[in-house]
Amino acid sequence: MEIDKILNPFKDSVIHVFNTMLNLEPLAEDAINVLEREITSDITGTIGVIGDITGTASVRFPRALACRIASLMMGTEIHEINNVVKDAIGEIANMVTGGAKGILIQLHEISYKLAIPTVILGSDHTLSYPTGITVKAIPFIIDDQKFYLEICLKNGE
Amino acid sequence: MKILVVDDSLTMRRILKTTLRRLGYDNFDEAPDGAVALTKMEGIDFVITDWNMPNMDGLTLVTTLRKDPVYKKIPIIMVTTEAGREDIIEAIKNGVNNYIVKPFTPEILKQKIDQTLQKL
Ligand SMILES: [Mg+2]
């Protein structure tokens, strides 16, 4: 299974989640190879998947955008990363990965199980992966803010 | 009608409660997992539960409720991201009345609740 074949359903799922849950229209840019261009973020929601494809899918945000997303979901203004923001970003990761599964089953009969989301905090943190593995990311733009979908997925268990 | 909202995500519980309030339902309780939900069942008329939760997941909650003579027929809607067809079939086999895939709009939630109540 080519990672690019998996990337598109994840991209569509991100757009669907943002449209439906947040009423936001993120614009996707071209996919980038993370091993050539490392990505940093302030908060990352990661979901482990296991099944026909195995690995991780992450959504990665700068602080301000994460707070904006949590504010929209909660219906209150949130200005700092707190437990609510962490929960909201974990739930975004959950919805994106679950939504991608629905598309992947229909298109390619690829199925997997989702783990409970993990949220990583830290100004400008990077993610590390085992060597020799392909990691791809899609940048998305909302107004002047940028976030990333980052996936590291390979065949089988 | 008193609704129990079961989800490990605080954000998701908030979204569900806000949407339910907008639809005219204002009597509810909440629980972060199936195990806590089981302790809050008294007086509940309708359950909306997530699938993926720590401690006790939604499917175990549904199977447990369906074995209890008191809650054997209580309406249950499963809200989850597991968009796979096999999961929907499994949930319905285990006694779920209806199913919502996250992300959802308020219209979909309303439609599913109405459908579920009509079929009782
Ligand atoms: Mg959950």
Side-chain angles (χ1 to χ4, degrees), chain A residues 58-76:
Chain A
S58 306
V59 279
R60 312 193 51 189
F61 301 91
R63 182 173 290 107
L65 184 55
C67 291
R68 183 176 168 198
I69 289 166
S71 301
L72 285 169
M73 288 171 91
M74 296 298 283
T76 49

Side-chain angles (χ1 to χ4, degrees), chain A residues 16-17 20-21 73-76 84 87-88 91 94-95 98-99 101-102 105-106 111-117, chain B residues 7-12 14-15 18 50 52-54 81-87 90 101-106:
Chain A
H16 181 58
V17 167
T20 316
M21 269 345 238
M73 288 171 91
M74 296 298 283
T76 49
V84 172
D87 182 86
E91 200 49 37
N94 196 26
M95 283 190 274
K101 175 183 168 177
I105 287 179
Q106 284 200 338
S111 185
Y112 50 78
K113 285 196 185 306
L114 279 68
I116 302 282
Chain B
D7 201 307
D8 56 321
S9 162
L10 175 78
T11 322
M12 216 54 220
R14 173 72 80 96
I15 289 173
T18 311
D50 185 23
N52 256 341
M53 293 180 289
T81 54
E82 302 271 320
R85 223 170 309 161
E86 80 264 43
D87 294 332
E90 202 189 338
V101 174
K102 291 189 274 201
F104 56 87
T105 57

Side-chain angles (χ1 to χ4, degrees), chain B residues 35-55:
Chain B
V36 176
L38 288 176
T39 69
K40 294 192 164 190
M41 283 306 297
E42 216 182 304
I44 297 296
D45 309 296
F46 201 110
V47 177
I48 299 180
T49 181
D50 185 23
W51 182 306
N52 256 341
M53 293 180 289
N55 299 325

Side-chain angles (χ1 to χ4, degrees), chain A residues 32 38 56-57 66 77 101 109 123 128 130:
Chain A
I32 52 182
E38 208 168 43
T56 57
E77 281 295 312
K101 175 183 168 177
E109 286 180 12
S123 294
S128 303

Side-chain angles (χ1 to χ4, degrees), chain B residues 3 8 10 19 30 32 44 63 103:
Chain B
I3 304 174
D8 56 321
L10 175 78
T19 314
E30 57 184 290
I44 297 296
T63 355

